[in-house]
Amino acid sequence: MRPQILLLLLFLAILPLSAIAARGQGWKQIEDVDDPRIKSMGEFAVADFNRKTHAGLIFKAVLTVTDDVVDSEKTGYLLHLAVEGDPPSCFDTVVLEFRWLDHWEVLYFDSKSC
C-alpha cells in the first residue's frame, strides 16, 4: 500500500508544476510594430497617462513591443514608445488587453531612455 501512496504524492507534487509551466510562455517580441492595433494601443496608453497626470505628451511611434498571454482571456503588452514633449523622450508601458470585452487597461507607464 505504501508504494501507491508515494506514487500519488509524487503525482500531486508534479501536477501543479506542469500547470504553471504550461500557463505562460513568457514575453515574445512582436515584429510588426506598424500594426494599426499596436499603434492604437500606444496612443491609448499616452492618452490615459495624459488624462491621469495632465501631461501634454504627444504619441509619436511604437519602437518595440512584446506580448505575454496571461490566460485565455487576457494578454499583456509591453510597449516602448517615443513621444513628443519638452524634451522629447521615450516611455515604457504595460497594457493589459481583455479580449472578451474589447478593453485595454494601462498597468504601468514610466519614462525610459531612448
Side-chain angles (χ1 to χ4, degrees):
M1 182 111 146
R2 282 187 180 188
Q4 292 88 356
I5 292 175
L6 289 174
L7 262 165
L8 178 64
L9 289 174
L10 181 63
F11 175 75
L12 292 175
I14 293 175
L15 184 64
L17 296 176
S18 65
I20 290 170
R23 186 174 142 221
Q25 300 301 321
W27 293 96
K28 294 180 187 153
Q29 186 79 25
I30 296 176
E31 298 301 322
D32 187 12
V33 295
D34 296 323
D35 181 338
R37 195 171 127 270
I38 298 297
K39 183 179 175 189
S40 295
M41 198 177 293
E43 291 170 342
F44 171 79
V46 171
D48 185 68
F49 179 76
N50 285 338
R51 181 181 55 81
K52 290 177 180 175
T53 63
H54 304 291
L57 300 178
I58 299 169
F59 173 80
K60 188 173 179 183
V62 175
L63 302 175
T64 62
V65 61
T66 55
D67 72 346
D68 182 23
V69 176
V70 177
D71 58 34
S72 63
E73 301 167 340
K74 295 182 284 255
T75 302
Y77 294 89
L78 172 63
L79 293 95
H80 187 65
L81 307 174
V83 297
E84 294 178 12
D86 192 26
S89 57
C90 294
F91 286 84
D92 277 348
T93 184
V94 175
V95 178
L96 186 62
E97 176 184 39
F98 297 88
R99 282 186 229 122
W100 79 100
L101 292 174
D102 194 30
H103 173 75
W104 294 329
E105 182 177 327
V106 177
L107 301 179
Y108 173 83
F109 196 96
D110 198 15
S111 63
K112 199 72 167 181
S113 62
C114 289

